[in-house]
Amino acid sequence: MTGAPTRTVVEPPAEKGNEPTVSMSHALPPAPRVGLRTLSWGAALVVVLLLAALAPANVISDFQFFQLNRVITFAIAIGGLNLLLGWAGTISAGHGALFGIGAYTTAILVADHGVPWPIAALASLVVGLVVGALLGLPALRLGGMNLGLITLAIAMLLPPLLTRLDWLTGGPFGKTTPRVEAPEGLPFSSPQWLFLVNLVVLAVVFWLLANMLRGRMGRALDAAASSRVMAAAHAIPTNRITVAVFAVSAAVAALAGALFHLSTRTSTPDSFTFLLSISLIAGAVVGGSRSFVGAIIGAAFVVFVPESLGEFVEPAAAGQWQQVVYAAALLLVIYFFPRGLAGLVRQARNRLVRRRSIHARPQEAQS
Amino acid sequence: MTLLEMRGVRASYDGVQALHGMDLGVAEGEMVALLGANGAGKTTTLRAISGTVAVEGAVVLDGRDITGWPAHRVARLAVGHVPEGRGTFVDLTVEENLTLGVLARGSRMRGQVKEDLAAVHDLFPILREFSGRQAGALSGGQQQMLAIARAILGRPRLLLVDEPSLGLAPMVTTEILRSLRVLQAEWQLAVLLAEQNARRALAVVDRAYVLESGRVVAAGSAAELRENTAVQDAYLGAEQTGRPA
Amino acid sequence: MTELWQQILSGLGSGFIYASLALAICLVFQGTGAVNFAQGVMATASAYVAWTLVTRGMPFWLAFVLALVASFIVGALIERVFIRPVEGSSPLVMLTVTVALLIGLQAVVALIWGDDPQQLESPFGGGSVEVLGARLTAQQLGAAAVVLVTLLLAGAFFRFTTLGLRMRAAAQNPASARLLSIDVGRMLALGWGLAATVGAVAGVIFAPTLGVSPAMMDSSLLLALAAATLGGFESRVGAVVGGLVLGVAANLASRYVPGIGSDLQLVVPFAVIFLVLLLRPQGLFGRASSVRA
């Protein structure tokens, strides 16, 4: 991998980058006009990360790619969760479980039935959609807070259920699947290859979600979230929309879980506890629950911050100190950036753009 | 003897300035009206006094500078406030609402409580009749009476009353304003009454200030203002030209 | 029949844990609008304080009282320090703060007292009593009695004292309460302190049954949240009744419904909640308030 000739390194992105570039070219032009500027930033970020994937292994190690894969899969799940938190004005305390359902669906299909992983991942998406619709149904009758607490149930029940159904799930030891290798001839290690796959999925999913939110659905959601009375007055079917959004959000989480499993290769019941659900919510709030860039930032926060302290304290209490620091960081972000860190990025970008617009002209003229 | 004085008070909400240098004074035992259209700054003036909006300038109560004090500390100086929207504790009973008023007087005039309650009940008999009901179940006019009763049971020296007529039938408004006047005289209250309906307000108060865009534009005794043609044209006509229901 | 009665009574026993935690959650929610996910771990810390004092040779009941006092102070401090900066924020922000508190406090508890479960001797001795044909341990009965008394005291406090009235007023309409010279900030801190104390009663008195460990309250917290939902977050009585109902339901289910062991007994409470909420979205005791804009 290390000494890969330059030519072969350049080739794959042209091939594999096909999908994201298509989506980006669609996403970029209309985005600023419609106000979903975050998307263009998401796209830019994707490009940067794509370039990073091409870096030789001594710059970014396989383990770091593995970590990045966790970030991306969490980001996808948080992006889905944002539909509920940021737009539908409701909450899910069970997205960790939906993530887990996705992971297990893929794990079982690949390990026990020899299904190719891309098809298994799609199956996870479908399973997530169905489970989400079933869970979203009570939304026909319930308001935001109650729906959130109903979802608590699946967060709590999934781990013991996974342990119990050992004929299906492998019980407490879970399911392990073989490593996902890059197609023959491509000079990628498994984590690198998955990194590219995950990036493509991230870009496609966020693009689709952004499009969905930009359309009638988004306006209806905004109306419904700001005032159910107003929405009702305008004959917006609040409940039906909430169910639909919940299902989509669940499907996205399940897909993310499938990708997560492909990276970690082993899924056990305790990978998907209530704490995971909580982490996803924390990630959404930290990043900013109305921003897809925020989803990526939040995911990075949730993955990296708890681990950042590991090297500095004695190993015995390391886990606990990590938790303390994680909690403190969460609090600080909320106190100082109650609308999420994505706002910070937006500010920096605005400043940058302003400066560029001042300096850009002469440079353009010269070149 | 001046009880309340405001000098050059400015206040804003979210960067939008609502008061642009407000100057006014209220003497002890005097009933004063703040007149003006919607958005003239009547409510904000009251809120500036009771400490529920951030202000610059000077708010002086009985010789003490209370600018920037938190609301509950201002209230402890015997300032009562009947807020916009009536501030009803909807889940508490009428009786509990009134008890909260009594509690607001702190250690002052503790011995008076029984008589004061009786006086309030005489003035607003409906509150005695409904004393066990949830306050949220009262009608708008009854809630307005409850709000005034609650505030005066705190035995304030200065009572701020925000648009008691809002959303009420004219008959009810008249009744409430008259009751207010009775109490004011009996208990030696100073009252600052914000009211859009200038004609009604001028019928009961001693003096009035006319506000426009967060400033005092006219002031005088009720009689003077009733005669003043400019004020008449601007504000007393309000009743004919369709007031909010 | 005796068997059923026995199961109901022991279900009520654990129901009292959920009831007190649910009441605590409800108090905090009414005051600050935060669903306090840290309520359970706060009770755990109280149990550890009592355990520490008892192992140092202090009589149980003195340790119990000191733990309650400490819990009150810590609860009020937590409100002042951690909740105050976000007072009045969206429920989501509040929720994240309490989640951060949960994560942080759980780690702090483990750092101070370690991960190993500890035993606290029951103050009621090891005997057992027969109640209408069912056999209950003295610990079960005593703990339930203590919690019951606590709940009644809390109820009386809110109903009959002026401080209780002030706290209700501050929770319900803070702006109006301020105009009546109520220091709302102090009332909110008191509310958190009181909630912490109610939770601490459950934590300490049930410690002999639950065992003292960092995770001792985890499943109780979730059931308490469920109970608060069942009762309607606005209703203190509802939260208590909800806790008791869930305790019994969970216990009966794990005993009588085939395929549901103690690991899956949570299925039933949630099925109950699901049904109740479908019929009464505002909860059993919540008021059917119209949508607030």
Side-chain angles (χ1 to χ4, degrees):
Chain A
M1 170 60 239
T2 21
T6 353
R7 197 151 33 103
T8 39
V9 177
V10 179
E11 228 173 53
E15 233 175 63
K16 302 300 143 208
N18 228 348
E19 270 178 283
T21 35
V22 169
S23 70
M24 271 161 4
S25 63
H26 276 291
L28 270 172
R33 227 171 298 140
V34 199
L36 271 168
R37 300 201 194 104
T38 41
L39 189 70
S40 59
W41 269 88
L45 210 65
V46 167
V47 173
V48 171
L49 291 175
L50 208 58
L51 292 173
L54 304 176
N58 53 5
V59 178
I60 300 178
S61 70
D62 270 2
F63 176 70
Q64 282 163 329
F65 272 116
F66 172 74
Q67 291 287 70
L68 288 176
N69 282 331
R70 288 178 62 204
V71 172
I72 299 176
T73 51
F74 276 25
I76 296 172
I78 292 173
L81 184 58
N82 276 352
L83 288 186
L84 302 178
L85 300 181
W87 275 277
T90 179
I91 190 172
S92 164
H95 261 49
L98 293 163
F99 192 83
I101 288 172
Y104 261 92
T105 304
T106 291
I108 291 165
L109 287 178
V110 172
D112 298 345
H113 304 280
V115 177
W117 65 263
I119 295 171
L122 283 178
S124 290
L125 180 91
V126 173
V127 169
L129 195 71
V130 172
V131 174
L134 288 178
L135 278 177
L137 275 179
L140 282 169
R141 285 299 301 267
L142 307 179
M145 179 72 91
N146 287 332
L147 176 64
L149 286 162
I150 286 276
T151 54
L152 247 183
I154 81 155
M156 287 162 62
L157 289 175
L158 187 72
L161 211 62
L162 289 174
T163 313
R164 183 72 86 76
L165 304 174
D166 51 1
W167 54 273
L168 180 68
T169 62
F173 307 108
K175 283 273 176 223
T176 302
T177 51
R179 190 196 299 272
V180 172
E181 299 291 359
E184 202 85 20
L186 295 182
F188 293 122
S189 69
S190 169
Q192 266 183 319
W193 167 240
L194 282 172
F195 176 72
L196 288 175
V197 170
N198 289 341
L199 269 186
V200 170
V201 175
L202 176 97
V204 171
V205 166
F206 281 12
W207 176 67
L208 287 174
L209 291 182
N211 267 341
M212 186 182 100
L213 290 170
R214 201 166 7 188
R216 265 188 48 197
M217 175 79 107
R219 282 195 302 276
L221 278 177
D222 266 344
S226 60
S227 165
R228 291 177 89 85
V229 179
M230 283 288 279
H234 288 97
I236 293 169
T238 316
N239 291 331
R240 234 184 310 146
I241 287 180
T242 311
V243 176
V245 166
F246 198 90
V248 169
S249 171
V252 170
L255 175 66
L259 297 174
F260 179 81
H261 173 86
L262 293 176
S263 282
T264 59
R265 294 180 47 215
T266 300
S267 285
T268 57
D270 54 5
S271 324
F272 309 109
T273 58
F274 179 55
L275 228 70
L276 175 61
S277 295
I278 280 186
S279 293
L280 293 178
I281 296 179
V285 175
V286 161
S289 58
R290 277 181 79 96
S291 154
F292 289 114
V293 179
I296 298 170
I297 298 173
F301 185 94
V302 172
V303 169
F304 289 124
V305 171
E307 287 169 11
S308 58
L309 201 82
E311 300 148 32
F312 301 105
V313 284
E314 46 173 329
Q320 268 109 46
W321 280 109
Q322 280 173 17
Q323 273 194 35
V324 172
V325 170
Y326 180 39
L330 254 180
L331 286 174
L332 288 178
V333 169
I334 289 175
Y335 292 157
F336 292 104
F337 309 100
R339 319 189 92 188
L341 289 173
L344 210 65
V345 174
R346 206 168 303 139
Q347 268 172 26
R349 197 263 325 260
N350 284 346
R351 211 166 300 150
L352 218 89
V353 169
R354 225 173 295 137
R355 200 175 309 149
R356 214 188 323 165
S357 62
I358 296 169
H359 297 292
R361 260 155 217 254
Q363 273 174 357
E364 260 173 34
Q366 277 162 23
S367 62
Chain B
M1 162 88 201
T2 313
L3 179 61
L4 170 82
E5 206 184 343
M6 293 177 93
R7 286 191 303 261
V9 171
R10 289 180 303 283
S12 48
Y13 301 97
D14 292 328
V16 180
Q17 198 158 355
L19 296 185
H20 301 258
M22 177 69 71
D23 299 284
L24 60 80
V26 177
E28 239 162 317
E30 179 186 36
M31 188 153 174
V32 180
L34 292 176
L35 307 176
N38 260 333
K42 303 187 298 292
T43 295
T44 311
T45 306
L46 298 189
R47 298 187 60 183
I49 299 165
S50 66
T52 42
V53 64
V55 293
E56 295 166 64
V59 181
V60 182
L61 185 77
D62 204 11
R64 198 177 337 197
D65 188 346
I66 58 164
T67 321
W69 281 30
H72 66 271
R73 288 189 59 205
V74 176
R76 280 177 197 165
L77 294 178
V79 175
H81 189 159
V82 179
E84 193 180 23
R86 305 171 188 129
T88 312
F89 300 94
V90 289
D91 284 345
L92 305 185
T93 62
V94 169
E95 192 182 358
E96 285 171 330
N97 268 272
L98 294 180
T99 307
L100 284 167
V102 170
L103 290 174
R105 64 173 73 185
S107 51
R108 290 174 300 112
M109 310 184 80
R110 268 285 162 82
Q112 281 284 113
V113 171
K114 261 205 181 116
E115 292 147 52
D116 290 356
L117 261 174
V120 163
H121 279 149
D122 286 346
L123 203 60
F124 304 116
I126 196 81
L127 298 183
R128 180 184 284 141
E129 193 180 322
F130 289 168
S131 81
R133 274 199 203 182
Q134 282 211 334
L138 299 184
S139 74
Q142 291 162 348
Q143 286 194 31
Q144 188 67 62
M145 293 175 196
L146 178 63
I148 292 173
R150 197 175 51 224
I152 55 177
L153 280 173
R155 270 298 189 164
R157 298 170 66 193
L158 172 64
L159 180 64
L160 312 169
V161 185
D162 200 347
E163 298 255 16
S165 68
L166 202 67
L168 301 185
M171 291 277 289
V172 183
T173 309
T174 312
E175 188 192 329
I176 285 177
L177 286 180
R178 201 174 294 145
S179 310
L180 201 58
R181 181 70 196 187
V182 170
L183 267 175
Q184 184 267 337
E186 271 179 25
W187 290 10
Q188 296 293 298
L189 296 172
V191 174
L192 189 55
L193 169 73
E195 184 53 74
Q196 208 176 94
N197 187 330
R199 194 184 300 276
R200 286 242 164 72
L202 287 176
V204 292
V205 298
D206 305 309
R207 278 192 314 123
Y209 292 93
V210 179
L211 309 189
E212 207 177 292
S213 331
R215 270 190 207 85
V216 174
V217 291
S221 73
E224 279 166 19
L225 288 174
R226 272 197 298 265
E227 299 307 311
N228 185 323
T229 46
V231 172
Q232 257 182 357
D233 290 349
Y235 302 104
L236 297 190
E239 205 159 3
Q240 281 93 27
T241 57
R243 298 189 14 77
Chain C
M1 205 55 220
T2 327
E3 159 77 9
L4 176 67
W5 178 234
Q6 175 85 44
Q7 292 299 333
I8 291 177
L9 282 186
S10 61
L12 269 182
S14 35
F16 274 114
I17 310 178
Y18 316 145
S20 23
L21 268 190
L23 174 63
I25 287 168
C26 190
L27 288 179
V28 161
F29 182 79
Q30 286 177 342
T32 42
V35 175
N36 188 8
F37 276 90
Q39 203 74 60
V41 72
M42 284 163 71
T44 303
S46 314
Y48 267 110
V49 169
W51 172 80
T52 307
L53 293 175
V54 169
T55 44
R56 297 271 160 82
M58 195 179 276
F60 180 91
W61 292 109
L62 184 58
F64 177 73
V65 171
L66 286 181
L68 296 196
V69 172
S71 306
F72 180 85
I73 295 170
V74 170
L77 276 178
I78 286 179
E79 198 280 335
R80 290 285 78 170
V81 176
F82 294 108
I83 303 299
R84 198 154 198 213
V86 290
E87 220 179 278
S89 302
S90 75
L92 193 58
V93 166
M94 288 286 196
L95 185 108
T96 315
V97 170
T98 69
V99 163
L101 284 175
L102 163 68
I103 294 169
L105 279 177
Q106 208 158 39
V108 168
V109 165
L111 280 173
I112 297 178
W113 286 289
D115 279 327
D116 303 325
Q118 309 289 352
Q119 259 312 317
L120 187 61
E121 195 77 20
S122 167
F124 304 103
S128 62
V129 195
E130 209 170 289
V131 183
L132 300 174
R135 198 145 266 293
L136 292 177
T137 63
Q139 159 68 24
Q140 279 178 316
L141 211 59
V146 169
V147 170
L148 191 62
V149 168
T150 310
L151 297 178
L152 291 175
L153 280 178
F157 169 78
F158 281 107
R159 190 153 199 94
F160 301 118
T161 69
T162 55
L163 183 58
L165 178 61
R166 281 204 190 95
M167 285 175 68
R168 281 191 286 156
Q172 197 182 103
N173 192 338
S176 189
R178 282 192 189 94
L179 298 178
L180 295 170
S181 70
I182 295 171
D183 186 343
V184 172
R186 185 176 296 170
M187 294 302 134
L188 297 184
L190 278 179
W192 271 73
L194 213 62
T197 312
V198 171
V201 170
V204 178
I205 210 72
F206 279 97
T209 335
L210 295 170
V212 184
S213 74
M216 66 183 272
M217 282 296 183
D218 284 5
S219 62
S220 301
L221 170 78
L222 294 171
L223 272 159
L225 285 170
T229 313
L230 184 60
F233 266 82
E234 305 285 343
S235 163
R236 295 184 296 273
V237 179
V240 170
V241 175
L244 296 177
V245 167
L246 288 195
V248 173
N251 209 42
L252 290 184
S254 65
R255 183 73 185 75
Y256 293 110
V257 181
I260 295 184
S262 57
D263 54 340
L264 287 186
Q265 62 173 341
L266 294 171
V267 170
V268 170
F270 277 102
V272 172
I273 294 174
F274 202 79
L275 283 177
V276 168
L277 291 181
L278 281 179
L279 298 173
R280 271 181 72 83
Q282 70 274 27
L284 276 182
F285 290 78
R287 282 183 314 119
S289 65
S290 53
V291 217
R292 273 179 223 166

